Amino acid sequence: MKKMYFYLKADFKRSICSIKFILSVILIICVLLLATQEGIVLDTDVLYVFSIVMYGMPAMIILVCGAIAFADSFCEDMEYKYVLQQVIRGDLEKYVTARVLSIFCVTMISTTLGIFLFTGILHISLPWVDISGLQYDHIIHAGGLRLFLIYRLYPLYYLCYGIQYGVLVGIMALWASCLSMYISNRMLVLSAPMIIYYFTDYVLAEVSSGMLSLAMIFSPSNNLFLNDFLSVTLVIGIAVMNLYLTRKIMVISLRGKIYE
């Protein structure tokens, strides 16, 4: 456990205190702000503008912006032989476990911060919600995180929205990191989350006859079971499964590279 603690401490210090983490947050905010200029009515409320912005391409670009924070860390470690130093001094499986957790958490944090700060900027000139609006009515009846809106905890709604969508961005960043085990091109690695998203979405649509999509599962604007607890439980379950699978793949890949 002591080795795991030091691995995690080093990874979080390296990532959170880096310019790439700050850049990731700023890029997410800028992408969302630019999206508001695409013919969206800006004299309504934050909930309406935010829901429109998070539908479509801006949400896809966030996958790439979030990955910038730490998804290419394995590329750096292998390029500068840092991974050999870490494994020799410690333990390969603990090193990979710490890195998987840090990639996922740092990506989720940067996404959450970007989304939350964006809504805070919108709130400077717009009310949080319009309770007579169609978007508010839709979420109250068929969306997720409804309790925050019902009890007027509006900032918490957007914060938790960022966390839930950040889970998806974190998962995509993990699979991009897996790709970096085999491809050293960082631009390709950082663009991988969007490619993986489209491929996964296509498979889901084919398997479910168009009934399921990643947006339906991970966006709180939808509520898959019309039950907040079950919907969040599903998101957590998918995250845990992907953490386990990506860790397994990375351990096997690094063991092959180091001991070949």
Side-chain angles (χ1 to χ4, degrees):
M1 287 301 294
K2 191 174 181 180
K3 289 180 181 178
M4 176 70 74
Y5 168 75
F6 284 118
Y7 278 136
L8 283 171
K9 181 181 177 181
D11 281 346
F12 275 102
K13 184 177 180 180
R14 171 185 170 187
S15 56
I16 297 293
C17 298
S18 72
I19 188 66
K20 290 197 295 184
F21 177 81
I22 299 170
L23 179 63
S24 175
V25 175
I26 292 174
L27 283 175
I28 290 171
I29 296 170
C30 289
V31 165
L32 295 176
L33 285 173
L34 285 172
T36 63
Q37 305 304 308
E38 297 296 319
I40 298 175
V41 179
L42 295 176
D43 58 353
T44 51
D45 60 291
V46 175
L47 184 63
Y48 171 79
V49 174
F50 179 69
S51 299
I52 297 296
V53 166
M54 286 298 292
Y55 180 81
M57 187 53 68
M60 299 298 97
I61 299 175
I62 286 176
L63 298 173
V64 177
C65 296
I68 289 172
F70 207 43
D72 64 340
S73 58
F74 276 115
C75 291
E76 293 180 355
D77 283 7
M78 288 187 285
E79 181 180 348
Y80 298 108
K81 309 298 182 183
Y82 181 67
V83 63
L84 291 173
Q85 300 173 26
Q86 291 296 305
V87 172
I88 290 170
R89 295 175 181 177
D91 179 87
L92 174 63
E93 293 199 7
K94 288 184 174 64
Y95 164 74
V96 173
T97 301
R99 181 56 55 83
V100 165
L101 288 172
S102 59
I103 290 171
F104 177 79
C105 292
V106 168
T107 304
M108 187 173 68
I109 291 169
S110 68
T111 303
T112 302
L113 274 176
I115 288 175
F116 183 71
L117 291 174
F118 165 70
T119 58
I121 292 170
L122 289 181
H123 183 54
I124 294 173
S125 56
L126 297 174
W128 285 118
V129 300
D130 176 7
I131 59 174
S132 62
L134 292 177
Q135 188 62 31
Y136 179 85
D137 184 68
H138 163 73
I139 293 176
I140 289 297
H141 290 93
L145 307 175
R146 292 170 290 185
L147 285 177
F148 294 117
L149 296 181
I150 292 171
Y151 290 103
R152 300 184 179 183
L153 302 171
Y154 304 131
L156 278 178
Y157 171 80
Y158 297 107
L159 181 66
C160 291
Y161 191 113
I163 293 172
Q164 187 166 327
Y165 194 76
V167 170
L168 172 61
V169 182
I171 291 171
M172 295 296 110
L174 284 176
W175 286 107
S177 296
C178 278
L179 184 64
S180 72
M181 299 285 99
Y182 308 97
I183 299 173
S184 58
N185 187 312
R186 291 189 189 179
M187 291 301 294
L188 184 56
V189 169
L190 292 176
S191 63
M194 189 180 293
I195 299 169
I196 297 168
Y197 181 97
Y198 275 115
F199 175 77
T200 307
D201 224 28
Y202 174 78
V203 172
L204 271 176
E206 288 293 313
V207 171
S208 65
S209 300
M211 298 294 292
L212 283 177
S213 69
L214 288 175
M216 186 174 293
I217 296 170
F218 288 95
S219 173
S221 294
N222 308 298
N223 196 322
L224 195 59
F225 303 107
L226 294 180
N227 182 297
D228 289 349
F229 176 77
L230 290 178
S231 295
V232 171
T233 301
L234 176 64
V235 169
I236 294 172
I238 293 172
V240 170
M241 181 182 69
N242 280 274
L243 283 164
Y244 174 80
L245 288 174
T246 51
R247 176 194 173 277
K248 201 76 173 175
I249 293 170
M250 290 179 190
V251 167
I252 294 170
S253 299
L254 275 180
R255 186 172 283 129
K257 288 178 180 294
I258 292 173
Y259 301 115
E260 63 183 2

